[in-house]
Amino acid sequence: MSIKTYRESIIEAMVLEMRRDEKVFVIGEDISGGRGCGDFDGEAAGGPMGLTQGLWAEFGAKRVIDTPISETAIMGAAAGAALSGLRPIAELMFSDFFGVCFDQIYNQAAKFRFMYGEQGATPLVIRTMIGAGIGAGPQHSQSPYSIFANIPGLKVVTPSNPYDAKGLLISAIRDNDPVMFCEHKALLGMEGEVPDEAYEVPLGKGRIIKEGNDITIVAIGQMVGIAQNCTSRLEEKGISVEIIDPRSLSPFDEEIVYDSVEKTGRLLVVDESNPVCSFGSWITSMVSDEVFSSLKAPTKVLTPPHCPVPAAPNLEATYLPNVDRIVEASDYLVNYS
Amino acid sequence: MQLSRDKLLDAYTRMKKIRVFEETMRDEFAKGTVPAFIHLYIGQEAIATGICVELTDQDTISSTHRGHGHCIAKKSNLEKMTMEIFCRADGLCGGKGGSMHIADLSVGMLGANAIVGANAPIAVGAALKQRVTGENLVSVAFIGDGASNQGAVFESMNLASVLKLPVLFVFENNGYAEFTGIDYHCGGGDIAGRAGGFGMPSYKLDGSDFFAVQEAAAEAVERARKGEGPSAIECVAKRWYGHFEGDPQHYRTKEELATIRRDFDPLIIFRQKVEEAGLVEGKDLDMIDEDLSSQVSSAVEKAKNSPLPDVKELTTNVYEEGSY
């Protein structure tokens, strides 16, 4: 056990799985970097965010494959390789880029098993960066996981800390279905205790971050940390909050949410996706269907407004759900009558 | 023409099987027994066959919405393939794929694909095995002239060229992108010529001539196996039927159809060539014809009499069992 960043945890998961299974390989843009630059033959960057640092040095160009900027070809080649028995980790540098390659993800990889039967198993991981918070603007800051989770055949995970990032990535690589691994760019430098050996955090299992009695907050990705930051202010108001990190959106751990809402009677979801058809609204819908009689107040979803992510720092700060809004919404729900 | 007698008979069998099968599908579709819609491969038999005779079971192909011919040329199980077209439980994909989504991975057939051009990157992905695990395989993408304009195809050609992957981009120029002619839809008018821009050797040939296709395939496959990278082969052979069955084909003349059926019949051309060269006797081919008629009609009868999938199968195989 040692202290590692979210970024280091992701790299470590890939390294351990590549050592374990020669069929695992990584493909994407600039994942080593520097190919074709004069006599340069090494690792220039390990990705623009350093998320593949050291892989090329250990595994070489046969298994750490730099590509042209061609997301359709990358995703499609990864899908075809998975269908053919390899276990690709394909990097979609920013999740916003799904718009230029989604056919290969949702019409191809996600459907092979259904269209072709069991022979269509597709053990594919798509690592992709989500989230606002660093001023990257409308085309590099989105969190389209609700769209991914809408697709039958895709699995979707949203690690909120270094421990889960490593364990979920290892599970995703060992899984026999396509997994969208949504890593949050604002969390890359986050530190936490992470075991050195390989371990799995199972897909579809949520975690209770903090126990409480008055209100359940389900928070996704970056929102988990923001929800945790509300705890003391809520306790000052005499509100005991239970915080759940689903970790995995598809499959989703419904039971952990139902059990909590049955105890607290109140549900607030904090979700970074666009509000219309957001994943948060799906959670509240399931809760209304299944444990309606336990509810003491309406369910509520906090998301950004229905607009693209702005570049201006003041606007971006206003865009994201924050401690004030979570405290205000919790207060409202607990005192609802 | 350096093929053995066995190989010639095998090639003829594959081509003729495609013809008989598709004619039977045409008739069944007219009777209303075939679910949804189908796209016939007649007129292009020499393309799939000329390529696939050069492949092994380990080699892979990715196919199109017009995929019946590719399945047969790659030697998919005929009965199970027919069952899939009729959406039956015992079909190759359990009946949930149907005509446009047949796959048979046991023979390296990675699937028909109903998204035009989307199969090209998938073939590139299969070819990555040569690089990642050192497997000796060749991967083929069959691409229509319509699909040749898709970005997915260009990206695939570039990636295969950059990574020197063992891919054959086989362009089946059948003259029409759905209802739109090649003279309108293809910028520059020369599909094979585009390969040069990716540094790829290319061929442009008569796709109704099995031997032209096979000779180009043999060269391209050899290069690919040696690690010398991808090739493009444009095979020109107009389709004999519509985009889909039921297409009234207002966009072309009856004279054109009569001409291609008279002058560009891949089976007649093959027969003439092998008989003239004294490689195979006509009666040997006649015997194959007879045998295939009964094989195909028995497969179709069997398919029609086999059960549809159980309703419980609606939600199976979305994810690995027990994992969701």
Side-chain angles (χ1 to χ4, degrees):
Chain A
M1 189 82 81
S2 55
I3 301 293
K4 289 170 192 143
T5 63
Y6 188 96
R7 174 190 285 108
E8 286 163 347
S9 304
I10 287 168
I11 296 170
E12 193 166 271
M14 289 189 282
V15 167
L16 292 173
E17 290 307 291
M18 288 177 81
R19 284 181 192 155
R20 194 177 80 98
D21 183 351
E22 63 164 21
K23 293 194 169 91
V24 178
F25 70 99
V26 189
I27 184 166
E29 296 155 5
D30 290 327
I31 56 175
S32 60
R35 302 276 82 73
C37 303
D39 292 334
F40 185 88
D41 186 26
E43 181 178 274
M49 296 293 198
L51 281 157
T52 42
Q53 256 167 25
L55 296 185
W56 184 87
E58 178 166 352
F59 301 103
K62 286 190 173 173
R63 293 173 69 197
V64 181
I65 304 174
D66 273 354
T67 68
I69 299 177
S70 302
E71 284 86 6
T72 288
I74 299 164
M75 294 304 134
L83 182 63
S84 311
L86 299 178
R87 303 187 84 86
I89 303 169
E91 189 174 292
L92 181 60
M93 194 184 286
F94 288 85
S95 61
D96 314 65
F97 306 165
F98 87 85
V100 294
C101 61
F102 209 36
D103 179 65
Q104 292 298 333
I105 299 171
Y106 96 107
N107 257 331
Q108 308 300 333
K111 288 187 181 141
F112 285 159
R113 185 188 284 275
F114 187 82
M115 289 195 296
Y116 301 153
E118 273 167 32
Q119 61 178 345
T122 308
L124 163 65
V125 178
I126 298 173
R127 282 186 36 248
T128 190
M129 213 182 317
I130 61 165
I134 67 162
Q139 295 174 335
H140 283 69
S141 303
Q142 297 166 89
S143 296
Y145 47 70
S146 305
I147 295 172
F148 304 152
N150 183 252
I151 307 301
L154 287 183
K155 293 174 176 174
V156 183
V157 298
T158 51
S160 70
N161 60 74
Y163 178 90
D164 287 341
K166 179 172 169 182
L168 283 170
L169 184 49
I170 287 175
S171 295
I173 295 168
R174 295 178 185 178
D175 197 85
N176 289 321
D177 292 312
V179 181
M180 300 296 294
F181 185 86
C182 300
E183 46 207 39
H184 200 294
K185 65 173 74 66
L187 301 178
L188 296 180
M190 178 186 188
E191 292 184 331
E193 288 210 343
V194 177
D196 296 329
E197 67 276 9
Y199 60 91
E200 296 185 29
V201 169
L203 307 185
K205 288 281 171 230
R207 185 166 81 94
I208 297 174
I209 301 277
K210 182 198 163 298
E211 291 194 30
N213 297 313
D214 297 328
I215 183 168
T216 301
I217 296 182
V218 177
I220 297 170
Q222 179 183 216
M223 295 299 120
V224 174
I226 296 174
Q228 282 175 284
N229 292 341
C230 301
T231 308
S232 57
R233 273 181 58 187
L234 288 170
E235 276 172 3
E236 280 167 23
K237 289 172 176 278
I239 297 171
S240 161
V241 59
E242 178 144 302
I243 301 173
I244 293 174
D245 176 359
R247 303 195 285 194
S248 167
L249 304 185
S250 177
F252 183 77
D253 189 348
E254 297 162 28
E255 292 306 320
I256 199 171
V257 177
Y258 299 157
D259 289 350
S260 177
V261 171
E262 281 178 337
K263 178 173 69 172
T264 64
R266 299 176 186 91
L267 174 66
L268 173 66
V269 183
V270 193
D271 177 358
E272 198 177 330
S273 62
N274 301 326
V276 179
C277 304
S278 67
F279 198 83
S281 62
W282 168 238
I283 297 176
T284 58
S285 153
M286 286 190 289
V287 164
S288 297
D289 282 355
E290 297 299 325
V291 290
F292 184 75
S293 59
S294 305
L295 289 171
K296 299 172 189 162
T299 58
K300 193 163 177 56
V301 184
L302 276 185
T303 65
H306 199 55
C307 67
V309 187
N314 62 326
L315 296 182
E316 190 183 39
T318 310
Y319 171 89
L320 282 171
N322 57 25
V323 170
D324 288 344
R325 287 179 63 202
I326 295 171
V327 170
E328 185 191 338
S330 304
D331 200 24
Y332 167 77
L333 292 179
V334 170
N335 293 302
Y336 180 83
S337 57
Chain B
M1 228 184 281
Q2 294 168 328
L3 300 179
S4 68
R5 185 172 181 279
D6 282 352
K7 204 165 173 182
L8 290 169
L9 293 176
D10 174 36
Y12 181 78
T13 305
R14 298 194 210 194
M15 287 200 291
K16 183 72 181 189
K17 196 189 270 190
I18 296 171
R19 174 69 55 89
V20 175
F21 185 80
E22 293 291 60
E23 285 174 345
T24 310
M25 284 300 110
R26 175 197 63 198
D27 297 343
E28 290 294 329
F29 186 85
K31 284 191 253 169
T33 62
V34 185
F37 43 95
I38 54 171
H39 309 77
L40 300 180
Y41 195 71
I42 297 178
Q44 300 171 232
E45 295 91 340
I47 306 174
T49 305
I51 300 292
C52 289
V53 292
E54 293 301 318
L55 304 179
T56 69
D57 279 357
Q58 282 68 50
D59 297 327
T60 54
I61 64 169
S62 70
S63 166
T64 70
H65 59 284
R66 197 176 302 287
H68 301 170
H70 305 134
C71 282
I72 292 172
K74 198 69 173 67
K75 294 200 163 173
S76 286
N77 179 301
L78 186 73
E79 286 186 356
K80 286 184 165 297
M81 172 196 161
T82 312
M83 285 181 191
E84 189 56 42
I85 292 169
F86 283 88
C87 300
R88 304 298 157 147
D90 295 327
L92 280 168
C93 310
K96 295 201 285 194
S99 165
M100 290 194 287
H101 313 92
I102 307 178
D104 186 354
L105 269 77
S106 68
V107 295
M109 160 61 182
L110 297 178
N113 206 308
I115 306 296
V116 170
N119 64 311
I122 292 162
V124 172
L128 280 171
K129 282 170 114 175
Q130 190 188 61
R131 180 184 177 107
V132 176
T133 54
E135 245 171 274
N136 181 4
L137 92 162
V138 171
S139 186
V140 176
F142 288 101
I143 301 162
D145 54 291
S148 76
N149 298 318
Q150 284 279 31
V153 173
F154 295 127
E155 286 193 25
S156 300
M157 292 172 80
N158 187 54
L159 184 62
S161 174
V162 166
L163 299 179
K164 262 195 164 180
L165 296 175
V167 184
L168 270 58
F169 294 92
V170 176
F171 292 99
E172 303 188 283
N173 178 352
N174 70 14
Y176 299 92
E178 302 187 8
F179 309 155
T180 301
I182 180 115
D183 291 344
Y184 178 88
H185 76 64
C186 179
D190 180 13
I191 298 172
R194 294 170 173 178
F198 297 105
M200 209 182 284
S202 68
Y203 304 81
K204 183 165 192 151
L205 48 84
D206 177 0
S208 58
D209 178 1
F210 164 82
F211 294 99
V213 179
Q214 178 268 326
E215 280 165 25
E219 284 181 21
V221 164
E222 193 189 347
R223 269 201 305 275
R225 287 203 203 285
K226 283 200 287 195
E228 293 172 11
S231 306
I233 304 175
E234 179 185 351
C235 308
V236 183
K238 285 195 173 171
R239 58 166 145 84
W240 287 22
Y241 290 87
H243 168 50
F244 49 79
E245 268 308 89
D247 167 10
Q249 302 187 74
H250 295 310
Y251 48 85
R252 62 171 162 176
T253 63
K254 289 197 166 56
E255 291 70 37
E256 176 185 303
L257 284 168
T259 307
I260 55 174
R261 290 175 189 190
R262 187 188 63 232
D263 298 339
F264 296 97
D265 182 334
L267 290 159
I268 292 175
I269 294 170
F270 183 92
R271 260 188 188 258
Q272 277 169 352
K273 288 203 172 184
V274 293
E275 285 182 30
E276 275 166 23
L279 297 168
V280 174
E281 285 184 45
K283 66 176 171 35
D284 295 329
L285 303 181
D286 294 341
M287 272 170 62
I288 291 173
D289 292 354
E290 273 172 43
D291 183 41
L292 286 173
S293 290
S294 61
Q295 251 190 59
V296 169
S297 50
S298 128
V300 169
E301 281 316 302
K302 218 167 174 172
K304 284 159 70 177
N305 291 314
S306 71
L308 287 164
D310 192 294
V311 173
K312 283 185 297 209
E313 297 297 325
L314 175 62
T315 54
T316 60
N317 277 329
V318 178
Y319 298 96
E320 185 177 31
E321 199 180 342
S323 79
Y324 198 87

